[in-house]
Amino acid sequence: MRHDRWRQIDELFEAALERAGAEERAAFLAEACAGDDALRREVEKMLGFDGQAEDFIETPVFGVAARLISGQFDAPTPHAASSVAGEKDSSKRSPTHSTSDSIDDARFIPGEVLAERYRIIGLLGRGGMGEVYRADDLKLKQPVALKFLPETLSADGASALARFYSEVSVARQISHRHVCRVYDVGEYEGQHFISMEFVRGEELASLLKRINRLPHDKAVEVARQLCGGLAAIHDKGVLHRDLKPANIMLDERGDVRITDFGIAALGESLQRGAREAAVGTPAYMSPEQLGGRELTVASDIYSLGLVLYEVFTGKKAFEAANLNDLLRLRRSDTTPTSPSKLIADLDPLVERVILRCLETELSTRPASALQVAAALPGGNPLAAALAAGETPSPEMVAAAPKQGSLRPPVALALLAAVIVGVAAIVFFSGRVTIHRFVPLKKSPDDLKERAGEIARRAGYTAPPLDSAHGFKEEYEYLDYVRKHDASPDRWEKLKTGQPAAISFWYRQSPRYLEAYDYWQIAPHDPPNEISGMLLVKLDTTGRLLYFEAAPPHVDETSGVNAELDANANATPKADATPNTNATLAGNVTPNATVNTNDAPDWSRFFQEAGLDIATFRQTPSRWTPPRHADARAAWEGTYPGRPELPLKIEAAAYRGQPVYFELIGSWQRPNRQTPLEESVAEKTFFALLLTFYFGALMLAALLAWRNLRLGRGDRRGAFRLALFVFALKMIYWIFLAHHVPTVGEVAGQFVGGLQSAVYWACVMGLMYLALEPFLRRRWPEWIISWSRLLAGDFRDPLIGRDVLIGAAFGICIPLAQYAQLMLPRLFSARPPVLARTSSLLPEFGLLGMSGFVPLLANQTASSLMFPFIIISVLLFFTMVLRRKWLGIAASWLLFFIALNLNFSDATLLSVLLGAILPTILLVVLTRFGLLALIATHFFTHIFPFYPVTTELSAWYATSFLLQLFVLGTVLLYSFYTSLAGQTLFRGQFLED
Amino acid sequence: MTTISKQEITGLLDDWSKGDRAALDKLTPLVYAELRRIARRQMSRERDGHTLQATALVNEAFIRISGQENFSWQNRAHFYAVCAQVMRHILIDHARAQQRDKRGGGAIHVSLDEAAVLAGGQETDFLALDEALRALEAFDPQKGRIVELRYFAGLGIEETAEVLHISPTTVRREWRRAKAWLYRALAEGGGDETRPLATN
């Protein structure tokens, strides 16, 4: 019927309605239609319908619509724009026609070729979004499924389309055996579609309908595959949002394929504004999805739990006669019947993981699908991932089902071994460490006071503004003893403290001391050039070794000085004019020795040095003083009680005030004039070291960049680690730097400290980004406990186990070093050997808490970095040699050579003992992993980095005791966690 | 809620009233989300079967979206119209999904009957009604808009008249005839598979 005809009818209909009675109407119509019987019949028909339609559509359906959008029904959300599109092309195709499922009604008929590429085979079904066809990809000659999207998409304009493409591009990246692949997008006659893998098989939903529940083994397999697939989806940041048995296919081999992932999200994004639309099916929705709250991975985990429930029990967790009941059920607090009540012999592991997935509280659900898999009986997604040639994610590594608890006897034995090891290290320290021979009775404070006293006696009475002090190992003397004294009691002689094997230095200054090179003040950094600066060195019993003072910059008695200079110019070695000022007097004799009448009383200095000036004879001075002086003196003799050790003493004064006094043993070299002694080998070594260092840094940066670009790097882990190292290095700086209230503190010191901390944080982060992905790919079992620690799972038994084992090995290393020092003497008449302990000495002056904290910070930081050096070498060799065992062997050889370089007098025994260290490092890494190696390195620090001693009341024992406390705490905690709650002496012991 | 500002909404409503379809596309998600939010809140308070105060709901949505209670009546009228369209499509899409799933089987879905029960015992084939309404709109757009506002947005005679700038009498007359037309279309249009047409 044409529209004008309709309008005509309507007008007459309206007019007729205005006439009240039936007869009046009939009369009106007869006249108005004027012989057009058809027209008249139409109007009469309308009048008839008018009578019937009185209540028709009088009740608005607004409420129904409101209920629909409020999510009370499982309604697909509307595509408002479909109205527009629908109206536009309603002539072409009425949308209502497409709702029939028979192929006759389908939009495309079999044989039709779309986009010159896909030949339609048939209609597979209609999903929540649109029709799905099976088709052949004519280009690639493989079957595909084409899923059509609502027409609204094109009507939504470019932005919706862009969003659609971006979502598909993410979905396309998901490649997993148990996820149905998304191939491409296409458009045909304005209809957008996704082409995806065609999976031949059966929906899990229909399989469950057919056979009720799956047999246990098959169910576990399906569950694990589901977890793997879902994890792969989550890994790309996609949520499934509609996980249910109808969206899970079992292919021809019975393998799981998850379909429609993210498509739900896609659909949602198409809903234009309805951000939290309830797209799922109420029976499989998580509580937060029902509540319309934001969805997370945990929501998919909940749905996974519901699917697993059904897979294992054959019953839906939530079932109701109709939707309203179902909604009411889901909205109530009802929890599903325990699976074990339905299936009596259900594995308790399965029940536990299902119920954990179904926790209402999001945080108590398993954090990832992989954790679900790991909790399943015999689940090991890590092994599966490796077998599939994939790089597991850090989360996957952390979720590996490796159980770490130790049997109590083993844990106890390890604990005991560490304690016995530490006891042995302490007990034997008296034989191998220098600080146990040198008398260290006087505390740094005593020595400081003594140094100040010497300075005051020498006439330097002005109170200093700033001061610093420290200890130093007199390695020149120790080397001399090693070379020249082969007696069995050679180290016993150190006990007199003279000559000094360890010296104490003290300096004071009228200005704030600001080091040039580093934040720590050293004896000659900053140089002692400011007038009034003093440097005093003492042996550990307080005897003077060295004295140096900076004379005034400008001479106050200038007239006399000019005369003196004139004389000096005329005859360089001429007599200086006798000075009238007695206190400043100082004559320079032609042979450059001091005129003792006017010179300071050097015998006092001899006394301060514990020497008797009468036993020395005066000689011409040959060693020039470090600062300007106008009088010099020198003596020669021997050390008291050591006639075989010659001793030279040099002194100098300026205007009668001592500016220099030094005890010079025959081992002492004139450092200010000796040229830099560097052999070709050393030069080459340093050149190689530099090349290697910068090469390694560059390589690390490149690898890190590559790993980041490929999305392999563990950004979060690297960031945390770098931040931690940064904090440690800042603590180190705060405690160790010599802080002064000057501009330099802010401009130089702080920036320097910050730079150093940032540098080490960057090195750590780069190393981690560069190396960790390789580890994760090749040997993920090495970093399971580490990944858990990084994830904050501190109470994991595996962490305790690895730390405990690492500690036991760590303690073996100092013991091996002890053995290396002590054992050779048992088999041959060799003089005893002492360990070098120089690395501990700069910190010696900072004992107590403020000295311990930076030591501990450094110990921790280096323990974190050190294993990565080992790992980089091992990775390098393994990649070059292409065999793991060859890589290990080559690394071992390298470490062995590098660590035993300084053993020139090697014996078979010392070589054997030297082999222990590289062996331990590699065994710990390859057998117990990264965390154990970190623990090994951490525990190794006790010697020689801390002053091990049996004299626990000695002033220097504080940092050692604090270290023992830290090690003990770590040890007991790891012992406790490694037991995982087992009782110690009774009950069932779990196998490792 | 969205990046569209209040001013833009006014503009969009104006544009739409001038026949700009793109403006409706932009408005719809806003309106939809707001209706949904309010409806959900009301639902959570009220028991099944409770009749929603349609006008109150739409008004609230409008106030929330526009942010001004003294919005011009002109705009309010357009807004009602947008709401009516949104509601209409919600129902139609739902009905289509129902029809699909009846054939697809499997998942639990609400049937139209259930929806109808909740709506007050009325049974209506929305799809057929929608088709009939389209036909009606084709030859008499005003009747179409009246039906949309009255039936889908729940507006009363007076409100409808105000929105459409016509007299209440006209609305009443047009509404009566529109009902007859639609009733006829449903009664006849089904052909051999005659659809159940229901009055009370």
Side-chain angles (χ1 to χ4, degrees):
Chain A
M1 220 186 300
R2 289 197 332 273
H3 286 174
D4 49 356
R5 178 72 168 167
W6 271 349
R7 278 191 207 99
Q8 197 184 357
I9 298 168
D10 193 49
E11 276 165 27
L12 289 176
F13 178 28
E14 181 180 13
L17 283 177
E18 278 162 18
R19 271 90 185 149
E23 283 162 30
E24 205 179 334
R25 278 181 193 172
F28 164 75
L29 283 180
E31 185 194 334
C33 293
D36 188 344
D37 276 357
L39 181 63
R40 185 181 170 156
R41 271 199 303 281
E42 285 289 340
V43 178
E44 279 171 346
K45 213 180 201 175
M46 290 310 299
L47 287 168
F49 282 124
D50 176 58
Q52 293 174 49
E54 194 174 350
D55 291 330
F56 177 62
I57 65 172
E58 275 295 343
T59 309
V61 285
F62 187 86
V64 179
R67 266 170 226 281
L68 282 172
I69 57 170
S70 71
Q72 284 213 349
F73 301 142
D74 171 39
T77 39
H79 309 298
S82 71
S83 60
V84 181
E87 277 167 9
K88 268 187 211 152
D89 52 25
S90 58
S91 55
K92 196 163 60 187
R93 186 184 59 79
S94 167
T96 52
H97 286 160
S98 68
T99 54
S100 163
D101 213 16
S102 113
I103 191 71
D104 301 333
D105 286 340
R107 198 178 309 170
F108 306 108
I109 53 163
E112 198 171 344
V113 175
L114 309 187
E116 296 178 346
R117 177 162 185 183
Y118 302 105
R119 181 190 288 131
I120 299 291
I121 306 290
L123 184 66
L124 285 171
R126 292 193 164 88
M129 300 247 311
E131 294 170 334
V132 184
Y133 290 87
R134 187 187 159 185
D136 274 336
D137 183 337
L138 299 176
K139 270 191 195 153
L140 299 178
K141 308 248 181 295
Q142 62 178 356
V144 293
L146 300 182
K147 183 164 203 140
F148 281 85
L149 299 169
E151 293 169 58
T152 61
L153 190 69
S154 29
D156 277 8
S159 75
L161 208 58
R163 205 164 51 228
F164 164 65
Y165 284 144
S166 83
E167 302 240 7
V168 172
S169 79
V170 175
R172 254 165 65 110
Q173 292 169 25
I174 302 169
S175 165
H176 193 271
R177 281 196 298 152
H178 301 305
V179 175
C180 176
R181 275 217 76 149
V182 171
Y183 294 142
D184 209 347
V185 290
E187 192 182 348
Y188 181 68
E189 288 182 352
Q191 302 279 302
H192 289 269
F193 59 87
I194 305 170
S195 68
M196 48 200 211
E197 190 180 9
F198 172 67
V199 180
R200 223 181 294 264
E202 185 178 12
E203 279 176 14
L204 181 62
S206 75
L207 179 72
L208 285 171
K209 214 173 276 175
R210 250 180 341 111
I211 68 168
N212 195 8
R213 71 189 167 101
L214 301 182
H216 184 266
D217 288 350
K218 180 66 188 168
V220 170
E221 194 191 331
V222 163
R224 192 168 305 131
Q225 293 178 352
L226 264 176
C227 291
L230 194 59
I233 293 170
H234 289 167
D235 203 37
K236 290 280 185 248
V238 177
L239 295 181
H240 193 299
R241 285 162 210 257
D242 193 17
L243 191 67
K244 56 185 178 188
N247 278 338
I248 296 162
M249 297 283 293
L250 291 171
D251 67 15
E252 288 167 312
R253 286 172 307 177
D255 281 345
V256 165
R257 297 299 191 91
I258 301 177
T259 65
D260 274 7
F261 59 94
I263 305 296
L266 255 179
E268 185 173 312
S269 83
L270 291 173
Q271 279 146 24
R272 316 199 313 155
R275 271 184 34 212
E276 357 96 280
V279 288
T281 318
Y284 297 97
M285 277 186 194
S286 58
E288 58 270 21
Q289 200 167 4
L290 281 165
R293 290 188 296 277
E294 198 186 342
L295 301 187
T296 62
V297 166
S299 316
D300 276 355
I301 298 287
Y302 188 94
S303 303
L304 175 68
L306 290 174
V307 172
L308 294 186
Y309 188 102
E310 203 170 330
V311 166
F312 279 96
T313 67
K315 295 260 188 318
K316 287 190 174 65
F318 297 106
E319 208 163 11
N322 58 48
L323 186 82
N324 283 325
D325 287 354
L326 180 65
L327 284 170
R328 216 165 288 132
L329 179 69
R330 293 301 320 268
R331 272 158 218 270
S332 66
D333 291 335
T334 320
T335 47
T337 321
S338 299
S340 58
K341 284 197 184 131
L342 298 169
I343 309 296
D345 59 345
L346 187 69
D347 189 331
L349 275 176
V350 171
E351 172 162 19
R352 201 160 60 200
V353 69
I354 290 177
L355 291 179
R356 268 195 69 200
C357 291
L358 300 183
E359 292 280 355
T360 319
E361 181 58 44
L362 270 70
S363 58
T364 48
R365 289 181 208 157
S368 67
L370 290 164
Q371 280 194 6
V372 177
L376 286 167
N380 188 351
L382 186 59
L386 288 175
E390 295 162 6
T391 304
S393 65
E395 291 76 24
M396 196 185 275
V397 173
K402 189 165 179 176
Q403 293 299 314
S405 57
L406 288 170
R407 286 180 297 132
V410 176
L412 264 181
L414 285 169
L415 182 70
V418 177
I419 291 169
V420 168
V422 170
I425 286 166
V426 174
F427 181 77
F428 289 112
S429 65
R431 304 227 193 143
V432 295
T433 56
I434 288 171
H435 66 266
R436 295 299 307 280
F437 287 92
V438 176
L440 285 172
K441 295 275 184 276
K442 284 201 152 105
S443 72
D445 284 339
D446 294 344
L447 290 168
K448 216 173 123 178
E449 204 177 302
R450 165 95 182 113
E453 185 188 306
I454 291 171
R456 278 193 300 279
R457 283 190 198 151
Y460 296 92
T461 49
L465 181 67
D466 197 6
S467 71
H469 63 273
F471 287 91
K472 189 172 171 293
E473 189 188 57
E474 294 295 327
Y475 59 92
E476 284 180 329
Y477 173 55
L478 291 167
D479 280 347
Y480 176 86
V481 175
R482 283 188 188 105
K483 273 186 201 143
H484 296 89
D485 189 349
S487 63
D489 64 339
R490 59 180 182 176
W491 302 121
E492 297 297 320
K493 294 166 189 164
L494 296 184
K495 288 187 171 167
T496 63
Q498 203 177 33
I502 293 174
S503 64
F504 172 83
W505 59 267
Y506 166 80
R507 51 187 301 194
Q508 64 179 46
S509 167
R511 296 190 190 170
Y512 285 113
L513 289 164
E514 292 175 74
Y516 287 9
D517 277 359
Y518 203 47
W519 333 300
Q520 275 176 285
I521 304 300
H524 291 285
D525 184 14
N528 291 288
E529 58 191 7
I530 306 299
S531 304
M533 272 193 177
L534 275 179
L535 168 64
V536 179
K537 284 188 194 170
L538 307 173
D539 68 19
T540 49
T541 61
R543 284 174 293 218
L544 181 67
L545 295 174
Y546 182 92
F547 179 88
E548 179 189 330
H553 193 167
V554 176
D555 201 328
E556 294 304 330
T557 54
S558 52
V560 179
N561 214 34
E563 195 184 333
L564 188 140
D565 285 351
N567 281 341
N569 287 343
T571 45
K573 289 188 174 181
D575 277 325
T577 310
N579 202 306
T580 46
N581 185 337
T583 54
L584 291 173
N587 281 351
V588 181
T589 54
N591 61 358
T593 56
V594 170
N595 179 340
T596 46
N597 291 331
D598 295 307
D601 181 8
W602 292 116
S603 66
R604 285 199 65 89
F605 275 74
F606 275 74
Q607 274 173 26
E608 306 280 21
L611 305 170
D612 179 5
I613 195 166
T615 61
F616 287 79
R617 64 186 169 81
Q618 204 163 9
T619 57
S621 167
R622 289 174 53 231
W623 290 49
T624 55
R627 303 285 157 213
H628 182 69
D630 56 17
R632 292 160 58 192
W635 296 265
E636 276 180 9
T638 56
Y639 276 97
R642 301 288 298 276
E644 77 281 9
L645 292 180
L647 173 61
K648 184 161 59 185
I649 289 163
E650 288 275 356
Y654 180 71
R655 302 239 181 259
Q657 201 167 15
V659 294
Y660 171 58
F661 184 86
E662 185 177 11
L663 275 68
I664 302 170
S666 60
W667 48 84
Q668 207 158 322
R669 280 170 300 176
N671 289 326
R672 273 184 284 142
Q673 84 176 37
T674 334
L676 193 63
E677 285 171 34
E678 247 185 9
S679 64
V680 179
E682 274 175 322
K683 273 184 195 159
T684 323
F685 177 72
F686 286 122
L688 276 176
L689 197 68
L690 270 180
T691 318
F692 175 77
Y693 186 78
F694 288 109
L697 270 188
M698 297 270 286
L699 191 67
L702 274 175
L703 282 177
W705 181 70
R706 181 167 172 271
N707 283 333
L708 279 182
R709 210 173 41 117
L710 295 176
R712 288 186 190 150
D714 175 11
R715 287 159 194 253
R716 207 178 56 162
F719 180 73
R720 284 186 184 180
L721 204 53
L723 201 66
F724 187 56
V725 167
F726 175 81
L728 289 172
K729 290 290 177 183
M730 281 313 281
I731 289 171
Y732 182 74
W733 172 78
I734 286 167
F735 277 86
L736 215 53
H738 183 81
H739 299 282
V740 288
T742 64
V743 176
E745 168 75 16
V746 179
Q749 282 232 69
F750 175 67
V751 173
L754 202 63
Q755 277 172 344
S756 161
V758 168
Y759 171 78
W760 286 112
C762 286
V763 168
M764 181 80 253
L766 274 183
M767 277 205 295
Y768 195 70
L769 283 175
L771 294 175
E772 189 266 352
F774 289 101
L775 272 188
R776 194 154 21 96
R777 188 178 180 85
R778 280 172 179 260
W779 305 303
E781 66 275 15
W782 295 1
I783 53 169
I784 293 173
S785 55
W786 167 253
S787 305
R788 289 183 191 169
L789 184 69
L790 216 55
D793 196 0
F794 301 113
R795 305 204 50 187
D796 191 278
L798 192 65
I799 292 175
R801 187 200 82 152
D802 285 355
V803 171
L804 198 57
I805 292 172
F809 278 105
I811 284 301
C812 290
I813 290 174
L815 283 175
Q817 288 169 327
Y818 269 39
Q820 232 174 350
L821 296 166
M822 291 174 4
L823 284 184
R825 286 193 65 213
L826 299 178
F827 301 100
S828 58
R830 287 171 157 269
V833 190
L834 287 194
R836 289 184 168 273
T837 55
S838 54
S839 55
L840 107 147
L841 286 166
E843 281 84 20
F844 234 99
L846 298 164
L847 291 158
M849 242 341 183
S850 65
F852 174 71
V853 171
L855 262 178
L856 183 67
N858 223 20
Q859 177 182 6
T860 313
S862 75
S863 296
L864 286 176
M865 293 194 178
F866 173 78
F868 287 97
I869 296 169
I870 307 268
I871 286 166
S872 62
V873 171
L874 184 56
L875 267 175
F876 173 77
F877 280 124
T878 307
M879 283 179 179
V880 170
L881 301 171
R882 292 173 180 278
R883 292 273 190 289
K884 185 178 169 187
W885 68 269
L886 269 179
I888 292 174
S891 313
W892 184 89
L893 203 62
L894 182 76
F895 295 140
F896 176 71
I897 293 168
L899 294 167
N900 292 287
L901 263 184
N902 50 4
F903 268 75
S904 46
D905 54 346
T907 61
L908 180 63
L909 186 67
S910 69
V911 167
L912 282 179
L913 290 167
I916 291 178
L917 178 53
T919 311
I920 286 181
L921 296 179
L922 285 167
V923 164
V924 169
L925 177 63
T926 55
R927 179 69 185 80
F928 303 103
L930 177 61
L931 185 63
L933 190 56
I934 290 172
T936 298
H937 194 255
F938 191 82
F939 273 74
T940 301
H941 267 78
I942 187 170
F943 171 86
F945 292 93
Y946 291 87
V948 182
T949 182
T950 50
E951 290 166 41
L952 299 181
S953 58
W955 59 266
Y956 59 85
T958 323
S959 65
F960 171 61
L961 289 173
L962 285 168
Q963 167 73 357
L964 278 188
F965 175 75
V966 169
L967 296 187
T969 309
V970 173
L971 199 64
L972 286 177
Y973 184 76
S974 54
F975 171 71
Y976 170 73
T977 48
S978 74
L979 289 174
Q982 300 168 87
T983 42
L984 260 187
F985 300 105
R986 285 178 291 117
Q988 297 274 309
F989 294 159
L990 287 177
E991 285 298 319
D992 177 6
Chain B
M1 176 180 89
T2 168
T3 51
I4 302 180
S5 72
K6 312 286 186 202
Q7 283 76 10
E8 280 179 277
I9 291 170
T10 322
L12 286 172
L13 285 168
D14 280 345
D15 290 349
W16 181 61
S17 68
K18 286 171 195 146
D20 181 355
R21 288 233 180 260
L24 179 63
D25 291 351
K26 285 184 194 148
L27 275 170
T28 304
L30 261 80
V31 174
Y32 174 73
E34 195 54 45
L35 285 176
R36 170 190 169 78
R37 211 186 54 75
I38 299 169
R40 185 171 277 170
R41 209 192 52 225
Q42 290 201 359
M43 292 293 171
S44 68
R45 288 204 214 107
E46 292 158 17
R47 298 249 158 248
D48 280 354
H50 180 96
T51 314
L52 281 164
Q53 293 303 309
T55 319
L57 199 154
V58 173
N59 269 326
E60 188 182 340
F62 177 67
I63 288 163
R64 285 192 55 85
I65 287 177
S66 67
Q68 294 167 256
E69 297 192 30
N70 301 325
F71 225 51
S72 79
W73 177 246
Q74 184 68 35
N75 279 322
R76 194 183 288 258
H78 295 326
F79 184 78
Y80 279 130
V82 175
C83 285
Q85 290 221 342
V86 168
M87 289 311 202
R88 176 174 173 187
H89 291 296
I90 287 164
L91 289 162
I92 300 311
D93 282 0
H94 177 67
R96 266 180 220 155
Q98 288 313 300
Q99 213 168 54
R100 246 190 327 259
D101 288 328
K102 265 182 204 163
R103 295 185 169 93
I108 301 172
H109 285 287
V110 66
S111 74
L112 255 180
D113 298 347
E114 278 173 301
V117 168
L118 289 172
Q122 207 177 41
E123 273 183 48
T124 310
D125 185 332
F126 286 109
L127 296 180
L129 180 68
D130 183 56
E131 222 174 325
L133 187 53
R134 281 167 196 268
L136 180 62
E137 280 163 340
F139 86 87
D140 191 342
Q142 176 164 283
K143 284 199 181 62
R145 298 191 71 185
I146 290 173
V147 171
E148 209 167 46
L149 289 168
R150 297 268 294 126
Y151 187 59
F152 290 105
L155 263 56
I157 297 286
E158 302 289 324
E159 289 165 312
T160 310
E162 280 185 85
V163 168
L164 295 178
H165 289 288
I166 48 179
S167 72
T169 322
T170 312
V171 172
R172 221 170 268 125
R173 283 206 310 260
E174 293 281 287
W175 170 240
R176 182 174 181 182
R177 278 179 291 135
K179 285 202 297 179
W181 276 108
L182 290 174
Y183 195 88
R184 172 185 165 158
L186 288 181
E188 291 181 337
D192 38 23
E193 50 158 332
T194 310
R195 288 161 202 192
L197 296 174
T199 57
N200 274 348

